[in-house]
Amino acid sequence: MAGARRKLLLMGRSGSGKSSMRSIIFSNYSAFDTRRLGATIDVEHSHLRFLGNMTLNLWDCGGQDAYMDHYFSTQRDNIFRMVEALIFVFDVESKELRKDIETFVLCLRNLYEFSPTAKIFALVHKMDLVIVEKRQDVYRALMKSLEDTSAMFSFQVQGFATTIWDESLYKAWSSIVCTLIPNVTVFQKHLHTFADISEADEVILFEKTTFLVISHVTNARSPGFRSDSTRFEKISNIIKQYKQSCNKLRAQFQSLSLRGSDFTAYLDTMTANTMIMVIMSNKTDSRGSTDLLGNSEINGDSDDSFASEAENNIILANIKIARKMFEKIEMMNPDAR
Amino acid sequence: MTMSVDEVHDGHAFGPNPSPRIVMMGLRRGGKSSICQVMFHNMQPLDTLYIESTTAPTTSVFSSFIDFAVMELPGQINFTEAMIDAERIFSSCGALIYVIDSQDEYINSLANLHSIILHAVNANPNINIEVFIHKVDGLSEDFRLDAQRDITQRVTDELLDDGLVNVSISFHLTSIFDHSIYEAFSRVVQKLIPQLATLENLLNVLCQHSGIEKAFLFDIGSKIFVATDSSPMDVPTYEICTDFIDITVDMNNLYAVDRRPKPVTRNDANTNNGTVSITNRLESIPQGRPIGSTSRLSNGVILYLQQMVKGLALVCLMRKESMPKIALVEYNIEFFRDALEQLWLIG
């Protein structure tokens, strides 16, 4: 069944981190493992199935000058035709920022000619090498010049500050991939319905292999629900590492349920390509007294565990029922609304 | 496992200033500070490159289920001068960890170790000598076994020459870049817990009656395991249990209403120089209902975690056939929890 094919151009100076990013998100490398990646020779093509109805055609373009010259001359129409998105990586430590921006402009010029509807993303990468206080300024300064240059070609550029050493990489790539999913609004709508029926505080839909966030719904019902705004990418990061640990035992993890101090989280397989995470906060106040050693005596202990078992089953049943619906969405004709 | 450490233990109450129970020694640049930082202050192993040389004895207090203090003596110390001080320290400690850099020439290290053992055993005949053959991540498998054999041979020979036959001495291959350091430290700490036999017994009974294949009692902050049941243990199982604790705590901190210092996610290179001490990590688990988590793996294994008293967690491996009876398992675990509470009230 022909799904939507999305061509992504990954460009940037040699050594800026393009292949490292690609291997972490799509090939299960850890940040540490990326040390052993060598320079990319010419263009490396990867075809990645994303959800049931979309193939990402990722063109990782080696950044060495010799290759770059070819891209803008002999290979121009091959590279820049039918591009859905350009992801340009800027190394924050680059000594030749001017030249990088010029290359960016060249890309924009070619895209304007061959793929004028392409989306433009700029990743300001290796931010871990900048001291914390300066990061905002460095990012804004670069983005200002990029926004100005993109405007010249009537493109709107979206920027992200990233590093492979924390969850910011997941945030950037989740956002990028989400704009490419053909029927993401359908997912959002049905996820909303699911969240309402389950009376969940939060529901997140992840793609199974990369653990990028496809969609999320927050219905902050309980008064105490104040969460970390970077939690989505942190979850991607945490679970990705758990997947790698499970691989050591030659197994994959199928589900995870977490009974926290005042909430419960369920992470389960939704369809063959997605996993769903449901967060429910505890409605009953089961806090008892706390003695000096910090041991809490919970009143109504047995009631609490019965309630959570029933709740567990309800959520799993809901997911099972919703599964069919979500499978249909994935198989949908990508151009349908 | 020697039970004679009871005598050392009984002399010291669990007070706010516990005397050092574990002493860490070794030549300089052996890796002692790195071990302490990684285990007790949550430092990433890669960041230990930037630690400065230790100039004064440093104590890390490890207060979760038992008040432990790990005292690290700097490697530059001229031992003969510090002899008298050291004897006082040895008489009140349960274990002496000696760190040998296996990537370096270790002859000098062994000579130093020998003289330290003589003084230690003199001051405290019941002390456990634990030799960490450290930095083995840089050696191949054969080389590691060779090094261990060689060092064991030399040390025991020298001790025999001096007529010391009753010294409790063990050798461990360790590295901060994998789980071996946690395992070795677990073994060291286990020998110092007087309640160990009771704990093992409790775990055995729990496993038999609940269809649990393997159970560990972990300390959440340091990921040292305090006790395990008698079934055979393999390293991958231990590793996945420690990883499971990490993700449970990290995920819990994302959503818990009681906001505490943010968790340091594992690949975060920007750690604030390891100043998040072990007790901070423990406080980051809010009080309330004990935390638990369950995970199903594709090979039919279920990982099950339940928070216990005093910063401990029970981590079990079960088969998926046990899941329908999970209510019974949880019922049994409640008994186990009560037993633990009573054990600490007595202890």
Side-chain angles (χ1 to χ4, degrees), chain A residues 13 25 41 69 142 163 201 207 277 287 293 331 337:
Chain A
R13 159 187 290 280
I25 299 281
I41 308 296
D69 291 338
L142 183 55
T163 163
D201 280 357
E207 193 277 333
M277 180 155 179
R287 269 176 235 241
L293 294 172
M331 284 298 123
R337 280 280 163 266

Side-chain angles (χ1 to χ4, degrees), chain A residues 165 202 242 245 252 254 257 259, chain B residues 255 267 292 294-296 298:
Chain A
W165 295 103
E202 190 154 77
Y242 181 45
S245 304
Q252 285 90 45
Q254 288 176 335
S257 99
R259 298 170 295 286
Chain B
Y255 283 100
N267 63 350
T294 315
S295 176
R296 242 177 245 261
S298 59

Side-chain angles (χ1 to χ4, degrees), chain A residues 103-217:
Chain A
T103 316
F104 181 65
V105 172
L106 263 178
C107 288
L108 292 183
R109 182 168 296 144
N110 282 298
L111 282 176
Y112 188 71
E113 190 182 330
F114 292 103
S115 313
T117 55
K119 303 184 181 74
I120 312 290
F121 298 96
L123 298 184
V124 185
H125 196 50
K126 304 194 189 173
M127 282 305 255
D128 53 293
L129 298 172
V130 177
I131 55 174
V132 187
E133 295 83 34
K134 290 264 165 60
R135 285 182 194 175
Q136 254 313 65
D137 297 331
V138 167
Y139 174 72
R140 278 258 50 95
L142 183 55
M143 282 314 295
K144 185 79 180 49
S145 3
L146 298 181
E147 278 158 10
D148 291 340
T149 49
S150 309
M152 290 198 305
F153 296 94
S154 347
F155 280 124
Q156 270 194 319
V157 63
Q158 196 178 357
F160 298 95
T162 56
T163 163
I164 57 174
W165 295 103
D166 69 24
E167 63 279 351
S168 55
L169 191 67
Y170 286 94
K171 181 174 167 71
W173 281 87
S174 288
S175 308
I176 292 172
V177 172
C178 268
T179 60
L180 304 172
I181 298 173
N183 46 0
V184 70
T185 42
V186 182
F187 277 110
Q188 183 84 12
K189 191 177 86 166
H190 287 274
L191 207 64
H192 231 113
T193 316
F194 182 87
D196 286 339
I197 295 175
S198 314
E199 296 183 358
D201 280 357
E202 190 154 77
V203 181
I204 312 172
L205 195 64
F206 294 97
E207 193 277 333
K208 202 169 203 177
T209 327
T210 59
F211 248 80
L212 296 176
V213 176
I214 296 172
S215 178
H216 63 90
V217 173

Side-chain angles (χ1 to χ4, degrees), chain A residues 266 307-319:
Chain A
Y266 302 93
S308 62
E309 192 54 41
E311 183 182 79
N312 196 13
N313 292 333
I314 293 175
I315 297 289
L316 294 177
N318 276 349
I319 292 177

Side-chain angles (χ1 to χ4, degrees), chain B residues 44-257:
Chain B
Q44 297 302 306
L46 285 173
D47 292 343
T48 55
L49 268 175
Y50 306 114
I51 298 177
E52 292 164 3
S53 246
T54 320
T55 44
T58 336
T59 310
S60 312
V61 178
F62 165 55
S63 55
S64 60
F65 65 103
I66 276 184
D67 293 326
F68 261 111
V70 179
M71 183 185 221
E72 184 203 327
L73 294 178
Q76 289 93 317
I77 218 173
N78 187 340
F79 189 69
T80 43
E81 285 176 3
M83 194 176 67
I84 298 171
D85 260 353
E87 299 226 336
R88 180 180 57 79
I89 294 172
F90 288 146
S91 59
S92 68
C93 88
L96 164 70
I97 299 179
Y98 191 82
V99 180
I100 297 179
D101 182 350
S102 65
Q103 291 187 9
D104 202 359
E105 279 296 316
Y106 45 72
I107 298 292
N108 289 340
S109 207
L110 294 181
N112 193 24
L113 170 62
H114 185 70
S115 93
I116 288 176
I117 294 181
L118 291 179
H119 286 116
V121 174
N122 203 14
N124 180 1
N126 295 320
I127 199 171
N128 291 328
I129 312 282
E130 314 279 354
V131 179
F132 281 12
I133 302 169
H134 198 50
K135 304 191 191 177
V136 292
D137 48 284
L139 304 177
S140 67
E141 192 62 44
D142 293 333
F143 214 84
R144 288 180 206 190
L145 295 172
D146 275 346
Q148 186 173 18
R149 208 178 314 128
D150 187 35
I151 292 177
T152 312
Q153 186 93 28
R154 284 178 198 267
V155 174
T156 43
D157 281 349
E158 283 190 36
L159 288 176
L160 274 177
D161 286 344
D162 280 344
L164 290 170
V165 282
N166 274 336
V167 180
S168 149
I169 185 165
S170 332
F171 299 85
H172 309 267
L173 291 168
T174 60
S175 161
I176 54 172
F177 288 100
D178 61 31
H179 289 85
S180 56
I181 184 67
Y182 292 99
E183 221 198 306
F185 226 98
S186 302
R187 305 239 178 256
V188 172
V189 165
Q190 279 168 24
K191 290 185 199 169
L192 300 177
I193 304 172
Q195 302 101 328
L196 183 64
T198 318
L199 289 174
E200 284 182 351
N201 215 10
L202 284 172
L203 283 170
N204 279 334
V205 171
L206 178 67
C207 291
Q208 277 163 18
H209 291 265
S210 315
I212 297 175
E213 284 190 343
K214 189 82 193 133
F216 291 95
L217 200 58
F218 271 98
D219 172 72
I220 295 182
S222 64
K223 288 178 296 200
I224 290 176
F225 75 94
V226 169
T228 181
D229 67 297
S230 319
S231 61
M233 182 176 113
D234 65 342
V235 180
T237 311
Y238 170 72
E239 287 181 359
I240 195 152
C241 290
T242 49
D243 293 338
F244 193 55
I245 294 177
D246 271 339
I247 61 153
T248 304
V249 173
D250 288 343
M251 293 282 277
N252 186 55
N253 287 339
L254 286 180
Y255 283 100
V257 168

